[in-house]
Amino acid sequence: MSVEGSSSGARKAEDVLVTSTSNGQTFHHPTTIKNFNESEISINEISDDLNNSKEDDGYGSTTIWRYISKASAKLDSLGVETRGIERIEAYERSTNKLKQLISVIGLWLSACGGLSSMSSFFLGPLLFDLGLRNTLISGLIGQALGCGIAAYCSLMGPRSGCRQMVGARFLFGWWFVKLVSLVSIIGVMGWSIVNSVVGGQILASMSDGKIPLIVGIIIIAVISLAVAIGGIKQLLKVETLLSLPVNFAFLLLYVVASKKFSYLTLEDAITDGPTIKGNWLTYFSLCYSITSTWGSIASDYYILFPEDSPDLQIFCITFFGILIPTTFVGVAGLLIGNVALTYEPWGDAYAAYGMGGLLNEAFKPWGGGGKFLLILIFLSLISNNILNTYSAAFGIQVSGRLMAKIPRWIWAFVVTAFYLVCALVGRNKFATILSNFLPMVGYWISMYFIILLEENSIFRTDRFKYLYTKEFPHDEEEPITTERDYIITKQSSQSNKHYNFKIWKDYDKLTQGYAASASFLIGATGAAVGMSQTYWIGPIARRVGGEYGGDVAMWLCMAFSGIVYPGLRYLELKKFGR
């Protein structure tokens, strides 16, 4: 098709001739450019909805909404993405596959090849007292499994053109998806808190305390917000730009730290067998959560990919895009953390300034050059927070009609303010925050994954398609009035014949979500009996570890949800037809 969508520049509506090709035939048909301009559609909707908000919903003053609408229009003229959770139609997506491929590879290199991924690997030796052998085995296997979870979730992006949590409506329905979206927001905000604290530690350590931890946290939040407001196109450009210098800095970290690798120890710092076993399992769960967490937002960054993108291609891009940079920085974290166990200067630096202090101590032999490289690594925290802020804003919009009316850029301010306050309050308890919240994220994404997997592999097939009487009514077909409608319908039916993504906002046709929600709650009981955290150790967790148990909740919650979902979903489809 000769006209591409997803433009963020504001233009006046004008008639154009659109040329499209299907099965060797060329169609020429007039249309209006606003149909291909996501910003104009979004701005018009925002203006209409917000200006009428007082009358319709009884919230606030129309003057406030008018100012918001004008601000959105101004931002749109500057190239800022103003589109909300609306689905990206097939004809609006990019046709430049190579450009999309390069952008998403750069995104994963930048987002996963940084301190956010490294931070959890430090905890193997420094919190769980595991030696190099056990941390390598447990950490690398755990994070590789998490990569597979995230990669599978990303497949829904090109298929649907919907953000991850919007697509979750096809599992949890209109109402229950709000709960899932809330959990997702908490997860990415937790990461943002961790990133902000680590960034503050780095700046404080580099300046010998002259830059307070609070100031460093604020710097991280403000810079991340500035890019996240820009939208997906600016986000992808910045992430790609940051990926090379950040990964180069980590490569040099290996070089400078190697001088102390003689202090590495293979043996665990503890000798009690059951405790070692329990810590191994808990650390495995922690590292699994590092990468599986991406499953809650992964498809957000594939919505501009063509609808017919091969599943294997998308899976491999995501799997290796997360696995390779995470492994690269994770192993560095394991090695440096292990050295800190026996090399006193590094151990003291970690005790004084946390992970930031430890990295600063590692780079100290290179003087000013080391500080410059540490600044490059510091940028990786901003890179990760950009993604978190961007996706969390959409999660809020999914929670209600009024929330969806408020522009994404406003929610970006809100989520930034939220995690900034939390980071400032918890700035002196980094390890506690990280070890407590990360496994919780891994629990819910495990349940979400198994439900999505069973929905796609069991029910979204030719065998059970007849059960979706509301989603695919036999006596109702959408009228095809133009050549463009014909092409879109034909392409969609070929690539998504088991989903009708056009109903993404149709309450009467979307699933009720009873089966998925019940399975989710039942899976939560598995988490309760199998988790091993400072605030709760489940009865099963106590049996597989020593004094502190061993965390097996990710396996139990996945198993519990996976066992009950097929039966409940079949009954739901038979009863409601959706």
Side-chain angles (χ1 to χ4, degrees):
M1 188 171 287
S2 60
V3 177
E4 290 186 26
S6 300
S7 170
S8 35
R11 297 184 297 225
K12 292 182 178 180
E14 56 179 319
D15 291 332
V16 298
L17 186 66
V18 180
T19 303
S20 52
T21 304
S22 178
N23 294 331
Q25 293 182 311
T26 301
F27 299 95
H28 302 279
H29 45 93
T31 189
T32 303
I33 195 69
K34 68 180 179 181
N35 291 332
F36 296 88
N37 190 326
E38 65 176 88
S39 305
E40 185 166 4
I41 295 172
S42 181
I43 291 297
N44 287 341
E45 290 178 351
I46 291 170
S47 179
D48 293 341
D49 289 340
L50 296 188
N51 286 336
N52 294 328
S53 183
K54 180 181 178 181
E55 176 182 339
D56 295 341
D57 302 304
Y59 289 90
S61 168
T62 54
T63 302
I64 296 175
W65 298 125
R66 193 174 297 113
Y67 279 126
I68 292 175
S69 180
K70 289 181 179 179
S72 294
K74 180 62 176 178
L75 289 172
D76 177 63
S77 68
L78 298 175
V80 171
E81 178 189 20
T82 53
R83 188 169 193 149
I85 59 174
E86 295 84 7
R87 180 183 177 230
I88 307 292
E89 297 285 357
Y91 66 85
E92 295 180 279
R93 305 186 197 179
S94 174
T95 57
N96 190 335
K97 292 186 177 181
L98 179 60
K99 181 180 179 180
Q100 289 294 321
L101 181 64
I102 293 174
S103 295
V104 80
I105 289 176
L107 179 146
W108 292 126
L109 283 175
S110 178
C112 301
L115 287 177
S116 302
S117 300
M118 174 189 272
S119 57
S120 300
F121 285 92
F122 275 100
L123 301 183
L126 296 176
L127 182 65
F128 295 104
D129 294 324
L130 296 175
L132 186 60
R133 182 189 299 107
N134 275 327
T135 49
L136 280 172
I137 296 173
S138 177
L140 296 184
I141 295 177
Q143 63 102 3
L145 180 61
C147 290
I149 303 294
Y152 185 81
C153 293
S154 71
L155 300 181
M156 300 305 292
R159 290 183 188 180
S160 67
C162 295
R163 316 285 176 176
Q164 193 82 55
M165 289 299 101
V166 176
R169 286 177 174 174
F170 288 85
L171 296 175
F172 292 90
W174 186 270
W175 294 107
F176 294 111
V177 77
K178 303 177 192 301
L179 173 62
V180 179
S181 181
L182 175 62
V183 177
S184 174
I185 293 170
I186 292 173
V188 294
M189 287 299 93
W191 270 116
S192 294
I193 294 168
V194 170
N195 295 338
S196 299
V197 173
V198 173
Q201 290 175 344
I202 289 177
L203 294 181
S205 177
M206 288 177 58
S207 64
D208 295 325
K210 295 178 181 178
I211 299 179
L213 181 58
I214 293 176
V215 175
I217 292 173
I218 293 174
I219 291 174
I220 285 274
V222 171
I223 298 176
S224 302
L225 173 64
V227 179
I229 286 176
I232 190 169
K233 290 188 175 182
Q234 285 73 19
L235 180 152
L236 289 173
K237 289 178 182 178
V238 171
E239 295 287 349
T240 303
L241 182 65
L242 290 176
S243 61
L244 292 179
V246 167
N247 281 273
F248 179 70
F250 274 102
L251 177 62
L252 294 180
L253 175 61
Y254 273 97
V255 176
V256 68
S258 64
K259 298 178 182 179
K260 305 298 181 183
F261 285 172
S262 58
Y263 288 91
L264 291 172
T265 174
L266 294 175
E267 302 304 319
D268 303 309
I270 50 179
T271 57
D272 181 60
T275 301
I276 293 175
K277 179 183 177 182
N279 287 1
W280 193 99
L281 289 169
T282 303
Y283 183 61
F284 179 96
S285 179
L286 183 67
C287 292
Y288 161 82
S289 301
I290 297 172
T291 49
S292 63
T293 308
W294 290 111
S296 65
I297 61 175
S299 72
D300 291 12
Y301 307 103
Y302 291 94
I303 57 175
L304 295 181
F305 274 64
E307 196 173 41
D308 59 352
S309 298
D311 284 350
L312 181 60
Q313 180 188 80
I314 300 299
F315 184 91
C316 290
I317 291 173
T318 310
F319 181 82
F320 291 106
I322 298 175
L323 177 70
I324 293 174
T326 302
T327 302
F328 181 61
V329 300
V331 171
L334 290 176
L335 296 175
I336 294 172
N338 188 278
V339 170
L341 284 176
T342 53
Y343 183 58
E344 188 172 343
W346 284 17
D348 292 342
Y350 179 78
Y353 290 107
M355 190 175 74
L358 180 52
L359 290 173
N360 183 56
E361 191 69 25
F363 274 121
K364 186 170 285 187
W366 286 2
K371 290 184 181 295
F372 173 74
L373 293 173
L374 194 54
I375 288 294
L376 291 181
I377 291 178
F378 171 84
L379 294 177
S380 69
L381 297 169
I382 296 174
S383 175
N384 195 274
N385 270 18
I386 291 170
L387 299 182
N388 296 336
T389 304
Y390 178 77
S391 290
F394 292 116
I396 295 176
Q397 287 187 318
V398 172
S399 64
R401 293 184 187 274
L402 176 64
M403 302 300 189
K405 292 178 181 179
I406 299 175
R408 176 193 61 82
W409 59 269
I410 291 181
W411 289 124
F413 277 98
V414 173
V415 297
T416 299
F418 172 79
Y419 80 71
L420 176 59
V421 170
C422 293
L424 293 175
V425 172
R427 62 187 182 275
N428 296 318
K429 298 180 180 181
F430 166 73
T432 302
I433 294 173
L434 190 61
S435 61
N436 286 350
F437 104 86
L438 258 187
M440 295 292 291
V441 177
Y443 303 156
W444 92 261
I445 199 65
S446 299
M447 294 183 283
Y448 174 80
F449 159 74
I450 196 65
I451 291 172
L452 178 64
L453 176 65
E454 291 182 337
E455 175 74 12
N456 286 341
S457 58
I458 299 176
F459 297 102
R460 297 289 178 170
T461 60
D462 292 336
R463 181 178 180 183
F464 289 106
K465 185 177 180 180
Y466 75 95
L467 292 173
Y468 295 85
T469 56
K470 297 292 181 64
E471 189 171 330
F472 298 101
H474 299 295
D475 58 346
E476 178 184 328
E477 292 186 4
E478 292 191 17
I480 298 176
T481 57
T482 66
E483 289 90 343
R484 193 193 74 179
D485 290 338
Y486 168 76
I487 294 168
I488 295 171
T489 301
K490 186 175 181 66
Q491 290 176 342
S492 181
S493 64
Q494 289 174 343
S495 56
N496 287 318
K497 64 180 182 178
H498 297 123
Y499 276 97
N500 179 12
F501 289 114
K502 294 179 181 179
I503 67 167
W504 67 273
K505 59 177 180 179
D506 191 332
Y507 173 81
D508 295 321
K509 293 182 179 179
L510 284 168
T511 178
Q512 300 278 22
Y514 296 138
S517 301
S519 301
F520 197 83
L521 294 176
I522 292 172
T525 63
V529 299
M531 68 191 305
S532 173
Q533 301 300 322
T534 55
Y535 45 85
W536 173 255
I537 300 177
I540 296 180
R542 288 188 182 278
R543 292 179 175 273
V544 297
E547 179 183 357
Y548 303 105
D551 198 307
V552 291
M554 54 167 285
W555 301 108
L556 293 179
C557 64
M558 190 184 297
F560 284 22
S561 294
I563 290 172
V564 301
Y565 181 72
L568 294 176
R569 182 58 169 151
Y570 180 77
L571 293 175
E572 182 181 31
L573 286 171
K574 290 287 287 185
K575 174 70 174 178
F576 301 105
R578 52 177 172 150

